Amino acid sequence: MTGIVVKDLDEKLSFGAAVEGLDFEALADENVRQQLRDLFVDRGMIVFRDVEPSARMQVALSKVFGPLKDHPTTTTPRDEETGDAAEGVIDMHYRPSDDVARGEGLVEMNGEVIARYSPWHFDHCYNDELNYAGVLRAPINAPVGGRTGFMDGIELYRQFPGDLLEKIEGKNVIYTLDTRLSTMKYGVNFTPLTEHSTTPQLLKEAARFPRAMHPAIWTRETGEKVLHYGPWMAVGLEHHEDPEGDRMLDEVAREINRRGEGTSAYWHQWKPTDMVIWDNHRMLHAVEGCDAKYERQTLRTTIKGDYGLGYFEDGKKVGEVEREIA
């Protein structure tokens, strides 16, 4: 590629690429833009290294891959730097509390209290339409921990035990807009300690969302099968909301957790000059969390482009239901 250098992200991985030397001049070259799009389709995620750490660059890079999409929830904070609230960057900013025990969104894991932990998931799972991709950067990160994990659903399917694949092949998983870790059902390997202060407002908004259905496994136009089940926000198996269905989803979730430490996954240690794009139809992602005394900030753009396989329960739309949420 003219003006940029492309490398494999890791020689042990079948997915992912690293790109160096990207600037606004390179972004203006349509040949470079098309090569980046082709690379993304092939590799599923790209780590851009040593890029200008600005919202301007993040938005410009994002638009190479498609138009921006606003976040489905109004309670999600937006970044003001873009000057465009409808298509702005969302701001996920953890600020430590003076009293760490009263911090927001804390969990205990492996004997440690950590903040900003996010289990494996895909974005907008609670919606009938997914987004095509996300572009993430981390202006502020903890000196230890705080990595973001990305798990390739194509490689995950290839490596997954066949007996577990048989249990979820052809089945849809039910998701709801409930980000509380205290209510997570499957693959739980932590103890929730506190909730976010925005949780009550989010739950009010969540009540207006019908439950969303997405396939646990789907097939890309290029022929590969993708294991695409995110345990976070999953609440059941469609037409199988019973103890047996729960056992299946929990068993698969625990295997996903295990595979998250192997060659199905890549864990990114952030620098302020990094940006990462991932295919939300193909990849799962997670955040390992960090010591609750450290500040952490990530900014994300969302790129439009649905895969057409999700739908809301009973054909309802947002605002046509008022679900009770415990």
Side-chain angles (χ1 to χ4, degrees):
M1 295 184 188
T2 304
I4 61 175
V5 176
V6 178
K7 302 176 181 178
D8 286 344
L9 191 56
D10 187 317
E11 62 181 12
K12 297 178 182 178
L13 301 177
S14 64
F15 63 95
V19 170
E20 299 173 0
L22 186 70
D23 55 21
F24 281 102
E25 182 179 357
L27 277 179
D29 185 333
E30 182 53 35
N31 289 327
V32 171
R33 295 165 69 90
Q34 186 58 50
Q35 289 172 348
L36 288 175
R37 288 190 283 263
D38 292 342
L39 178 67
F40 185 56
V41 170
D42 180 44
R43 301 299 289 180
M45 68 171 295
I46 305 173
V47 175
F48 297 94
R49 295 177 174 147
D50 298 320
V51 295
E52 177 183 301
S54 68
R56 186 173 75 106
M57 172 58 86
Q58 186 171 0
V59 169
L61 175 60
S62 301
K63 288 182 176 179
V64 170
F65 300 92
L68 299 190
K69 175 186 177 183
D70 193 20
H71 196 277
T73 68
T74 59
T75 51
T76 300
R78 271 64 170 176
D79 171 62
E80 295 181 357
E81 187 182 345
T82 61
D84 184 354
E87 293 185 341
V89 183
I90 66 169
D91 187 350
M92 295 166 282
H93 198 165
Y94 169 77
R95 296 175 176 86
S97 169
D98 290 338
D99 182 354
V100 171
R102 296 180 181 273
E104 294 192 357
L106 304 181
V107 303
E108 183 179 344
M109 196 172 188
N110 299 323
E112 298 181 358
V113 175
I114 58 174
R116 294 306 303 174
Y117 172 73
S118 296
W120 291 106
H121 67 288
F122 56 92
D123 288 333
H124 300 183
C125 61
Y126 49 81
N127 203 9
D128 59 339
E129 294 184 3
L130 300 185
N131 60 293
Y132 173 44
V135 176
L136 193 68
R137 65 187 176 101
I140 304 171
N141 203 23
V144 178
R147 296 180 304 168
T148 303
F150 299 91
M151 195 175 335
D152 181 31
I154 294 175
E155 191 58 45
L156 187 61
Y157 182 88
R158 290 172 181 158
Q159 296 184 12
F160 222 68
D163 60 326
L164 293 183
L165 291 177
E166 288 180 9
K167 291 181 178 180
I168 58 173
E169 187 87 48
K171 294 183 172 62
N172 287 330
V173 180
I174 307 169
Y175 299 92
T176 66
L177 177 52
D178 187 350
T179 59
R180 291 175 295 174
L181 296 179
S182 60
T183 60
M184 185 170 163
K185 294 179 66 174
Y186 309 118
V188 178
N189 56 1
F190 58 87
T191 301
L193 299 177
T194 64
E195 301 288 358
H196 290 275
S197 61
T198 56
T199 295
Q201 294 93 329
L202 179 64
L203 292 179
K204 287 181 181 179
E205 188 168 12
R208 301 177 64 250
F209 276 71
R211 302 195 308 171
M213 316 291 163
H214 292 281
I217 297 169
W218 71 284
T219 304
R220 300 207 315 165
E221 291 182 359
T222 45
E224 304 95 337
K225 286 198 171 185
V226 181
L227 176 51
H228 201 238
Y229 159 45
W232 191 19
M233 291 172 276
V235 297
L237 205 58
E238 188 181 28
H239 308 310
H240 216 324
E241 293 185 75
D242 52 36
E244 183 182 353
D246 286 342
R247 280 193 297 272
M248 282 193 291
L249 288 178
D250 187 61
E251 188 177 6
V252 174
R254 293 187 184 280
E255 182 65 17
I256 287 173
N257 287 343
R258 192 173 75 84
R259 296 282 167 178
E261 300 301 325
T263 53
S264 296
Y266 164 76
W267 287 90
H268 186 68
Q269 185 67 58
W270 288 99
K271 296 180 179 178
T273 53
D274 293 339
M275 291 188 193
V276 177
I277 182 171
W278 70 97
D279 183 341
N280 190 51
H281 303 164
R282 168 177 172 174
M283 312 289 293
L284 302 177
H285 59 285
V287 181
E288 69 176 349
C290 60
D291 192 306
K293 66 185 178 184
Y294 295 126
E295 184 179 9
R296 187 177 188 273
Q297 182 188 30
T298 53
L299 300 169
R300 194 191 81 207
T301 46
T302 304
I303 300 168
K304 287 182 181 178
D306 187 32
Y307 69 159
L309 299 175
Y311 56 90
F312 280 136
E313 190 172 32
D314 299 328
K316 300 290 186 179
K317 297 179 181 179
V318 176
E320 293 183 348
V321 299
E322 191 67 34
R323 295 187 300 108
E324 292 186 8
I325 300 178

